[in-house]
Amino acid sequence: MKKYNNKINRNTIKKSNQPEIVAIYCPLWHNYDHASSWKGEGWCEWELLKKARPRFKGHNMPVTPSWGYFDESDPHWSEKEIDLASKYGIDVWLVDWYWYNGVKIMQEALENGLLRARNRKKVKFALMWANHEWWDYFPAPFDGTRNWLLPIRHSERDMQRVIEYCAENYFSKSHYWTVGREIFFSVFQPAFMVKSLGGPEKTRRIFEKLNRYLASCRLPPIHWNAQLYSPADSGLLKKAGFKSATNYNVAGIDRTPENLLIPYDSLIEQHEKHWNKMLKESSLPYAPVVTMGWDVTCRCEENIPWPFPPSPKTGRFDYPYCPIVNDNSPEKFRILCEKALRFVQDTKPSPYAIFVNAWNEWTEGSYLLPDRTHGTAYLKAMSKALK
């Protein structure tokens, strides 16, 4: 069994009352073998952004990155990203990570890019297991037909393989993010994982076994974090061994507007409502997320008229044919960040952090990287509010 030298910087304590800023990093912006197989040689999701068009008057499409359509798996570009993130106060990347029973996709952005950058230790990193089935929404058929590309299944054997791979390739890095001297590891759709493993009691036993394996590698135990959109499953997850919650984004309001346009002011209110609901009703400590924007029209068929009609299959506004945010601005984002800071300082969750959606979710309209319209204005707004 491989042993690791656990002389790990666990991690520098920040100034009193200053939360860590954790930016979600989505690794869609480089070619990988599965993408070439599914969509054609050299394809990645930049192609959707290039072909985007305005759906209505005043629609900010297409979005053009200031750096162009760069290859994020190239450490040269990773160094630019790390320098920019560090300059504006981002402490941690929360990297979307994809594992399908040993099949990995898009890991090149992390393994070839961020982890090989010469300045990599300026920003810590952690994983968010993007625990969802991968289907072809490039673009998504409006009729609701789903072409499943990779299914998600869970077993005790596969969980062991996940942690063995992560221990060797990620957890042993000195700049992997820890919370209370534990390895931070977040899971999307965590209740699905727990139920697939046989329920909370069996999941807890699996977690305990995985921690014993990590101890044999001279690594700390795992702080399991749940990506939750409601407090409903928090009790089950706490029983299973999860220790905290956040969520990937807040991207909707209570009622679907007739024109499918959500004012950002309404989204700010929805953030506060969601944070407080999680605070009062969740069995797990909750760290808030702030969402810079939301627009997934890039992943929709071009010929579907705006506003999108309900799905002919379900009668709902299903992803990605759903409402979008249409009037977000750096100044409004700053206001939301200030509210998140006050929430964290008042509630003091563990992790003591604010999550930001997102660093580079270009085709979901949520990104901090500079574009030709706003430059670095969103980064400046966030930094002004949180630092």
Side-chain angles (χ1 to χ4, degrees), residues 25-309:
Y25 190 104
C26 192
L28 299 169
W29 317 107
H30 67 283
N31 176 247
Y32 50 100
D33 289 342
H34 279 77
S36 292
S37 175
W38 293 327
K39 309 298 290 186
E41 186 62 38
W43 188 92
C44 77
E45 208 160 338
W46 283 133
E47 300 306 316
L48 296 184
L49 201 65
K50 292 176 185 177
K51 295 178 181 178
R53 62 175 179 83
R55 300 280 178 161
F56 53 87
K57 185 177 180 180
H59 188 200
N60 184 32
M61 280 290 172
V63 170
T64 305
S66 297
W67 294 358
Y69 305 103
F70 65 94
D71 179 356
E72 66 184 351
S73 66
D74 181 342
H76 164 74
W77 286 106
S78 299
E79 288 167 11
K80 290 190 66 174
E81 291 186 276
I82 290 166
D83 280 340
L84 187 68
S86 177
K87 176 181 178 180
Y88 288 103
I90 290 172
D91 301 293
V92 184
W93 303 119
L94 184 60
V95 181
D96 292 358
W97 186 72
Y98 299 83
W99 171 284
Y100 299 85
N101 292 88
V103 176
K104 301 181 294 298
I105 61 173
M106 299 185 290
Q107 77 280 2
E108 298 89 351
L110 176 59
E111 295 183 3
N112 299 345
L114 294 174
L115 294 184
R116 294 187 182 181
R118 291 171 297 181
N119 58 351
R120 56 189 174 274
K121 294 187 179 181
K122 290 175 71 174
V123 178
K124 292 169 281 190
F125 78 102
L127 300 185
M128 192 280 288
W129 187 356
N131 177 46
H132 60 79
E133 294 184 304
W134 195 253
W135 57 284
D136 188 356
Y137 46 81
F138 312 112
F142 177 68
D143 66 6
T145 301
R146 292 195 173 187
N147 177 23
W148 298 107
L149 300 174
L150 287 169
I152 278 282
R153 295 185 176 90
H154 294 290
S155 67
E156 181 174 350
R157 174 180 175 271
D158 190 59
M159 292 295 291
Q160 181 71 32
R161 289 199 301 164
V162 165
I163 299 308
E164 287 177 2
Y165 185 88
C166 290
E168 181 169 356
N169 294 279
Y170 309 127
F171 297 163
S172 55
K173 305 294 184 186
S174 64
H175 63 305
Y176 193 95
W177 188 38
T178 58
V179 174
R181 298 184 179 180
E182 294 183 332
I183 294 166
F184 184 89
F185 190 84
S186 189
V187 180
F188 195 77
Q189 294 185 341
F192 168 74
M193 186 182 81
V194 170
K195 292 170 185 176
S196 299
L197 290 174
E201 291 82 6
K202 188 171 181 180
T203 300
R204 179 178 284 274
R205 290 195 295 271
I206 292 171
F207 284 1
E208 291 169 351
K209 181 179 177 181
L210 296 175
N211 281 338
R212 290 195 294 273
Y213 168 77
L214 291 172
S216 74
C217 299
R218 300 177 184 171
L219 288 171
I222 294 177
H223 177 112
W224 293 91
N225 171 264
Q227 296 280 334
L228 283 182
Y229 285 88
S230 84
D233 291 319
S234 62
L236 174 142
L237 296 172
K238 183 176 182 179
K239 188 181 294 184
F242 281 82
K243 296 189 174 182
S244 67
T246 184
N247 50 293
Y248 198 77
N249 58 22
V250 174
I253 54 179
D254 293 333
R255 292 185 179 181
T256 301
E258 291 185 7
N259 61 0
L260 296 191
L261 299 179
I262 299 174
Y264 197 80
D265 289 341
S266 297
L267 200 67
I268 291 175
E269 294 175 3
Q270 194 68 18
H271 276 80
E272 292 187 283
K273 182 178 179 179
H274 177 74
W275 301 339
N276 286 315
K277 182 178 180 67
M278 294 297 291
L279 177 66
K280 294 175 183 177
E281 300 179 22
S282 175
S283 302
L284 297 169
Y286 176 76
V289 66
V290 293
T291 302
M292 167 269 179
W294 178 254
D295 184 341
V296 285
T297 55
C298 294
R299 291 176 172 174
C300 300
E301 293 180 332
E302 292 185 16
N303 62 334
I304 306 301
W306 181 268
F308 299 134

Side-chain angles (χ1 to χ4, degrees), residues 354-368:
I354 295 171
F355 292 78
V356 183
N357 182 275
W359 178 252
N360 56 349
E361 277 272 24
W362 294 99
T363 44
E364 287 193 343
S366 193
Y367 55 89
L368 297 176

Side-chain angles (χ1 to χ4, degrees), residues 13-22 91-92 124 177-180 184 223 244 285-288 340-355:
I13 302 298
K14 298 188 73 176
K15 291 182 179 179
S16 175
N17 223 27
Q18 179 64 51
E20 303 221 68
I21 310 306
V22 184
D91 301 293
V92 184
K124 292 169 281 190
W177 188 38
T178 58
V179 174
F184 184 89
H223 177 112
S244 67
Y286 176 76
L341 179 62
R342 288 195 292 271
F343 179 88
V344 166
Q345 290 174 339
D346 288 344
T347 62
K348 294 181 171 52
S350 177
Y352 189 58
I354 295 171
F355 292 78

